[in-house]
Amino acid sequence: MQMAKNVPSMPRNQVDRVNASVGQLLVFKVPPDTFYDANDNDLTLTLKSKEHKELSTRHWLQFDSKNQEFYGIPKSGDTGSEEYLLVAEDSGGLSAHDALVVVVSHPPKKEFGAFFKAYLAIRHENFNAELQRKFVERIARVNGDATTNQIQIRSINIHHDSDGTIVNFYNTSLYKHHNRCPEKLLAATRSVYMVGDSLRDSVKRALGLELNLTNFSVAPFGSCHHAENIDITNEFVPTRTEEPRQKSTFSEEYLANFILPAVIILVMIVLASIVACCLHRRRHKSGKMELGDEEERKSFRAKGIPVIFQDEYEEKPEIGNKSPVILKDEKPPLLPPLLPPSYNTSNMNGMNVCMPYPLLKVQSVANLLTDDNDVDEYVPPPAVVVGGREVRGKSPATPSYRKPPPYVSP
């Protein structure tokens, strides 16, 4: 029977990026389908540098091959991104690798009320990534937390007096809210580790002999210095019942950061809309003719009554039969006295006729006009020859008067 040829593993569900925060424990489990091997399901995973070198035991990031997970606590000097190689090796010695990037960033900045100091009887060089992970996980268990998210390592120093290690850490739930110190929470948390000024034996047993906790203290900041003197029952142990307080704090922050600005913006938009409507209405009114009071508007709305301006009125002639105006000192004009009519006698056809003087003068004029001896006969002017053509003058104009009729005596 021919044996199947062994082939190397193949990356399938690759781990591209892992995020970590300074001072907080990173634990990342590699998915089981990251690599695929047709012949071997039991692969050995290891973590190496991008130069295919083994990681130092002092390096902050380590790999647990048994549980197939990354873990470690990065420090401030580890910020940034770094590339690693995840190597999978089968039973035949064939291997495959997957490149991944670990990005370390600073956590959100908070103003904590205090930090805690744990004194361990361990040499500083022996306090490696594995012991650091155990310390954080066991402190979180003492606080009653299900995860390690509320534990943030501030620094890890050498205790020169006892050649040990001092671990300074924060409880991220104990921070100042609106510059107010969480006095009761701080005092309650202190009472979890200490009775008066002495370390609780239960805490020493919880951390175990590997860590060998010898002492514990609280170092408050600023306005939280007097929190140590608050009287709280020493048997108080913070549990998950304290979460409603955190929820109320979150709701207050949500109200201050989101709801209140949204309401302010909405009110400003409504006010701006009202002002814009008022200005538009005022501008619309100013463009129209103002008709005055109600009576004037009715007069303009009336139909069939034309509007006649002053200049369009017809000028009527003045009545002529008005009596003249006579002043007080005015006198009638001086007229010559009227003379009685004079009569003249003339013999007409042997008859003596007595006529008034005016009629006599009219008859005399008529006789003068009818007298043939006194009036010459009209002779037209001779024709004028111009350019071989005869041009006659115009006929005399027709007189504009008629001869008076002959006088017939009555």
Side-chain angles (χ1 to χ4, degrees):
M1 184 177 179
Q2 187 178 0
M3 296 290 294
K5 184 179 179 179
N6 186 22
V7 294
S9 304
M10 297 177 57
R12 175 179 290 180
N13 186 14
Q14 300 178 349
V15 180
D16 295 328
R17 174 170 173 162
V18 178
N19 296 320
S21 297
V22 174
Q24 292 184 335
L25 177 64
L26 167 67
V27 178
F28 180 82
K29 189 173 182 61
V30 179
D33 59 345
T34 302
F35 294 94
Y36 170 74
D37 195 315
N39 303 322
D40 193 354
N41 294 327
D42 189 12
L43 301 177
T44 303
L45 301 182
T46 56
L47 186 65
K48 295 182 179 181
S49 65
K50 62 181 179 180
E51 293 85 8
H52 291 270
K53 295 181 180 180
E54 298 290 338
L55 296 178
S56 171
T57 56
R58 299 297 301 174
H59 192 67
W60 75 269
L61 184 63
Q62 297 295 320
F63 186 75
D64 185 1
S65 298
K66 181 179 179 180
N67 298 319
Q68 295 187 356
E69 57 188 12
F70 304 99
Y71 66 92
I73 302 175
K75 304 175 180 62
S76 298
D78 299 323
T79 55
S81 61
E82 188 172 353
E83 186 175 347
Y84 298 90
L85 294 177
L86 182 62
V87 181
E89 185 177 353
D90 60 9
S91 57
L94 298 180
S95 63
H97 64 271
D98 174 27
L100 58 95
V101 177
V102 178
V103 180
V104 179
S105 59
H106 289 280
K109 188 176 181 180
K110 294 182 180 179
E111 187 178 1
F112 297 104
F115 70 94
F116 303 90
K117 303 178 71 172
Y119 297 84
L120 306 178
I122 302 174
R123 295 180 62 89
H124 184 268
E125 57 270 16
N126 296 333
F127 192 59
N128 54 22
E130 183 179 358
L131 291 178
Q132 293 175 16
R133 176 182 178 180
K134 290 181 179 179
F135 174 82
V136 173
E137 289 177 344
R138 292 174 185 179
I139 287 292
R141 194 177 302 120
V142 170
N143 291 338
D145 300 327
T147 64
T148 61
N149 295 335
Q150 293 185 353
I151 305 300
Q152 179 179 334
I153 301 297
R154 182 189 184 196
S155 62
I156 300 175
N157 304 323
I158 301 175
H159 191 201
H160 297 283
D161 296 339
S162 60
D163 196 17
T165 302
I166 302 175
V167 182
N168 303 316
F169 66 94
Y170 297 111
N171 188 327
T172 57
S173 63
L174 303 177
Y175 64 93
K176 295 181 180 180
H177 184 64
H178 296 299
N179 203 24
R180 290 182 298 179
C181 177
E183 298 175 352
K184 294 184 178 181
L185 283 176
L186 184 59
T189 304
R190 180 181 180 277
S191 66
V192 173
Y193 303 101
M194 304 181 69
V195 180
D197 294 333
S198 301
L199 179 64
R200 286 181 179 272
D201 294 335
S202 60
V203 177
K204 293 180 66 174
R205 290 192 301 267
L207 267 68
L209 296 176
E210 292 179 290
L211 299 175
N212 196 7
L213 179 63
T214 59
N215 199 1
F216 197 90
S217 65
V218 180
F221 291 124
S223 59
C224 293
H225 273 290
H226 60 281
E228 297 183 78
N229 300 325
I230 297 178
D231 186 17
I232 277 195
T233 305
N234 291 333
E235 298 301 325
F236 175 81
V237 177
T239 60
R240 295 316 238 177
T241 56
E242 292 297 315
E243 288 185 359
R245 181 184 298 272
Q246 299 300 325
K247 291 182 180 179
S248 63
T249 302
F250 174 77
S251 63
E252 291 178 0
E253 291 182 354
Y254 185 80
L255 178 64
N257 295 333
F258 297 98
I259 303 300
L260 187 60
V263 171
I264 294 175
I265 293 173
L266 183 62
V267 171
M268 292 176 65
I269 292 175
V270 171
L271 292 178
S273 302
I274 294 174
V275 172
C277 292
C278 293
L279 293 177
H280 178 73
R281 186 176 181 183
R282 182 177 180 182
R283 182 180 179 183
H284 185 68
K285 282 187 175 181
S286 62
K288 294 183 177 180
M289 182 185 296
E290 296 182 0
L291 299 179
D293 55 4
E294 184 66 23
E295 295 296 331
E296 293 182 1
R297 287 195 292 270
K298 287 183 179 179
S299 64
F300 277 100
R301 286 196 299 266
K303 295 182 180 180
I305 302 177
V307 179
I308 302 174
F309 295 97
Q310 184 68 29
D311 298 339
E312 297 180 358
Y313 281 104
E314 183 181 359
E315 295 183 1
K316 297 181 180 180
E318 296 181 358
I319 301 174
N321 57 358
K322 292 183 179 181
S323 60
V325 179
I326 301 174
L327 301 178
K328 293 182 179 182
D329 300 337
E330 188 175 358
K331 295 179 180 181
L334 298 178
L335 297 177
L338 296 177
L339 298 177
S342 61
Y343 299 92
N344 190 11
T345 59
S346 61
N347 187 8
M348 297 181 62
N349 297 327
M351 295 179 66
N352 292 328
V353 180
C354 181
M355 292 183 301
Y357 182 73
L359 294 179
L360 180 61
K361 294 182 68 175
V362 172
Q363 183 63 34
S364 301
V365 172
N367 293 335
L368 291 174
L369 294 176
T370 56
D371 193 357
D372 295 336
N373 296 326
D374 298 334
V375 179
D376 297 333
E377 187 178 357
Y378 172 74
V379 179
V384 180
V385 178
V386 179
R389 295 180 61 184
E390 182 179 350
V391 179
R392 293 183 177 275
K394 296 181 179 179
S395 61
T398 303
S400 59
Y401 60 89
R402 295 178 60 184
K403 295 180 181 181
Y407 176 76
V408 179
S409 61

